Amino acid sequence: MAKVKVTGVRRHKNNPNKWEIRYYFEGKRISEYVDAKTKTQAGEIRALRMAGVKEDANKIESVDVTLNNFFQKHMEEYGKVNWTPKWQIEVQNIYNRYIKDYNVSKEDWLNKPLGQSHLKDISVADISGLIAYMNNTLGISNNSQLRAIAVLSKCLDRAFKQELIEKNPVKLIDKPSAEHKKFSPWDIDTLIKFLDKSDASAEVPFLMNYLFRFAVNSGLRRSELLGLRWEDIDWKNKTINLTRTVVQYNNSNVTNGFEYGQGKTEGSLIPIPMTPEFENILKAIHGSQLEMKARIGHQYNNKIGSVFTDEDGNLYSPDRVTRTLNRLISKWNFPKITFHGFRHMTATLLINNGTDLKVVQEILRHKTIQITAQTYSHIAPKTIADEYNKISDLTKGTSVGR
């Protein structure tokens, strides 16, 4: 039997029942995660691996395994251990939407989905073709292409480490350049016109005009707004507690396509002050919901107390909010903007009115001030010029050229 050099057993940093065992077998370095409650149990599994008595049931040995099969193993063995549930669903969605069904052409087959290709057969040309398909056929942004490529590359990296492929072809391609998103927010007159039209129009679904208005006034993300429940509103202390988010995924494992999350960053979900405008909006929403509940009785369905609901008490889906906004903008001939654009307008209004960038960061709950500065750098020059003008105004009348 070949000599084996054991390099150690180490507990996984996020899962106390997962252990990494590492050793050399027949000159090959092996690292794998195993399920074990104690270090002793992990050591026993390692000893079996060393002796070659028991093979890992989860390890794929066949070089003819398809990308689809290996990707699901990758999600089970790596994704569930290292990623949040939210990111696991996002990765699966990216794979399903862009990668799995992309058709590749070979000499021995035509239009075979990439997901059904054997790992060993996936080439640099296939990956380049995938990028061309995402760019030319799907028309998705460079940043979305890069996310898809990263998902595929991570999967193929693990296949390479398990010696199922000789190289990761994603590493050999020319990737598209990342795009720094720029936006064109509405001016204040356009914004007010849209909000007023939303308040008055019967084309706007129940309470959604308040959702638009609250978004602009608060800078909250769509997921944060839809996560609000009445239990989060502290009327006495005039605060709104951000405790959850709502994200929609095209995944059959998520109830109604919704997942309740914990925020985009660690500091995302914090209490925010309830301004008089917020209070007026919330009271109007609450009153409308009570009227609707009295009208339809037991058919009213808002059992969890969501703030932003339809007339039957059902929480608005993120997708419906986006579709409604797009439809209204198109029909009313407003400049195109996304729902996230309301958040950008909040920041733009604050910066143009002289709010310190650090305060803007805190309102938007960006992780760092660098993120705020980079996102709104195109607004900063005007603000800096305004500050210089303030200094000039203060020093008017002083002698120049002495």
Side-chain angles (χ1 to χ4, degrees):
M1 182 176 293
K3 185 177 179 180
V4 179
K5 179 182 178 182
V6 177
T7 58
V9 174
R10 182 171 61 183
R11 189 192 297 269
H12 190 278
K13 62 180 180 180
N14 295 326
N15 189 335
N17 294 322
K18 282 281 186 183
W19 295 81
E20 181 187 16
I21 58 175
R22 296 175 294 163
Y23 53 90
Y24 285 90
F25 182 76
E26 296 182 343
K28 299 176 182 178
R29 186 179 186 276
I30 297 176
S31 174
E32 60 178 296
Y33 284 102
V34 297
D35 294 313
K37 292 184 178 180
T38 65
K39 186 174 183 179
T40 300
Q41 290 180 359
E44 291 172 353
I45 295 173
R46 180 194 64 184
L48 291 173
R49 299 290 196 275
M50 293 166 55
V53 173
K54 181 179 179 182
E55 292 295 330
D56 182 3
N58 291 322
K59 188 175 179 182
I60 300 176
E61 298 293 341
S62 172
V63 294
D64 291 327
V65 65
T66 66
L67 177 60
N68 281 344
N69 290 338
F70 186 79
F71 182 81
Q72 295 312 316
K73 288 283 186 182
H74 168 61
M75 294 296 292
E76 287 289 329
E77 297 171 8
Y78 185 86
K80 284 188 176 180
V81 175
N82 294 281
W83 299 335
T84 65
K86 177 180 177 180
W87 183 240
Q88 290 175 49
I89 295 172
E90 181 66 19
V91 168
Q92 185 71 60
N93 279 346
I94 290 172
Y95 181 79
N96 291 344
R97 189 179 302 129
Y98 303 129
I99 300 170
K100 182 177 73 171
D101 295 324
Y102 163 65
N103 288 322
V104 297
S105 296
K106 300 283 188 181
E107 292 181 359
D108 55 341
W109 72 70
L110 292 176
N111 298 327
K112 184 174 183 178
L114 184 61
Q116 296 179 20
S117 302
H118 293 147
L119 288 176
K120 62 183 179 62
D121 293 329
I122 298 174
S123 67
V124 173
D126 295 333
I127 307 302
S128 297
L130 173 64
I131 294 174
Y133 165 73
M134 291 190 291
N135 184 58
N136 300 328
T137 303
L138 299 182
I140 63 175
S141 68
N142 284 13
N143 290 345
S144 294
Q145 293 176 43
L146 288 171
R147 280 192 293 272
I149 294 167
V151 165
L152 181 57
S153 183
K154 186 68 175 179
C155 175
L156 294 179
D157 269 345
R158 294 196 69 242
F160 173 73
K161 290 176 181 177
Q162 293 184 23
E163 298 185 334
L164 299 177
I165 55 177
E166 294 183 359
K167 62 181 180 298
N168 179 353
V170 179
K171 303 288 188 182
L172 304 176
I173 62 168
D174 294 326
K175 299 181 180 66
S177 301
E179 298 170 336
H180 298 292
K181 292 184 178 179
K182 292 186 177 181
F183 54 91
S184 299
W186 293 341
D187 57 47
I188 188 65
D189 292 335
T190 303
L191 174 61
I192 292 173
K193 182 179 178 182
F194 177 83
L195 294 176
D196 288 345
K197 192 172 181 65
S198 298
D199 289 337
S201 176
E203 297 177 279
V204 180
F206 182 72
L207 300 180
M208 204 174 285
N209 57 312
Y210 294 124
L211 179 64
F212 298 152
R213 193 171 286 276
F214 206 105
V216 173
N217 279 273
S218 66
L220 293 180
R221 301 175 177 93
R222 181 187 64 177
S223 60
E224 295 163 346
L225 288 163
L226 295 178
L228 285 177
R229 297 178 184 172
W230 291 113
E231 65 189 46
D232 304 321
I233 312 303
D234 188 340
W235 301 101
K236 181 179 179 180
N237 295 309
K238 305 291 185 185
T239 57
I240 300 171
N241 299 304
L242 305 179
T243 58
R244 73 191 66 77
T245 59
V246 172
V247 182
Q248 183 167 345
Y249 295 103
N250 299 318
N251 186 293
S252 59
N253 296 323
V254 182
T255 304
N256 295 325
F258 294 167
E259 179 186 278
Y260 291 94
Q262 299 301 315
K264 185 173 181 180
T265 64
E266 190 173 332
S268 290
L269 300 185
I270 58 175
I272 63 173
M274 186 193 303
T275 66
E277 178 68 6
F278 294 166
E279 186 170 1
N280 290 337
I281 294 173
L282 290 170
K283 285 180 176 179
I285 294 172
H286 196 243
S288 296
Q289 287 184 341
L290 291 176
E291 289 178 10
M292 189 59 68
K293 184 177 181 180
R295 185 183 306 171
I296 66 176
H298 68 278
Q299 295 179 354
Y300 192 73
N301 194 40
N302 193 9
K303 294 182 176 63
I304 61 175
S306 296
V307 172
F308 294 104
T309 62
D310 64 17
E311 60 271 20
D312 295 323
N314 300 306
L315 174 65
Y316 276 121
S317 73
D319 281 358
R320 185 178 177 187
V321 171
T322 297
R323 288 196 306 269
T324 300
L325 178 62
N326 291 341
R327 174 175 57 81
L328 295 175
I329 286 174
S330 176
K331 188 169 185 178
W332 295 345
N333 294 317
F334 279 86
K336 186 177 179 181
I337 196 171
T338 64
F339 191 90
H340 199 76
F342 287 142
R343 179 172 166 88
H344 290 318
M345 279 190 277
T346 304
T348 302
L349 291 171
L350 289 169
I351 293 172
N352 285 340
N353 280 278
T355 305
D356 185 86
L357 205 59
K358 180 64 178 175
V359 177
V360 176
Q361 176 209 345
E362 293 173 354
I363 290 173
L364 298 181
R365 288 154 294 117
H366 284 156
K367 190 172 183 179
T368 67
I369 195 170
Q370 286 79 12
I371 295 174
T372 312
Q374 183 178 12
T375 305
Y376 302 104
S377 60
H378 61 295
I379 302 173
K382 179 179 182 298
T383 305
I384 293 170
D386 289 342
E387 296 305 313
Y388 277 126
N389 288 332
K390 289 178 183 178
I391 297 173
S392 298
D393 289 341
L394 293 172
T395 59
K396 276 181 180 178
T398 58
S399 298
V400 178
R402 285 192 301 180

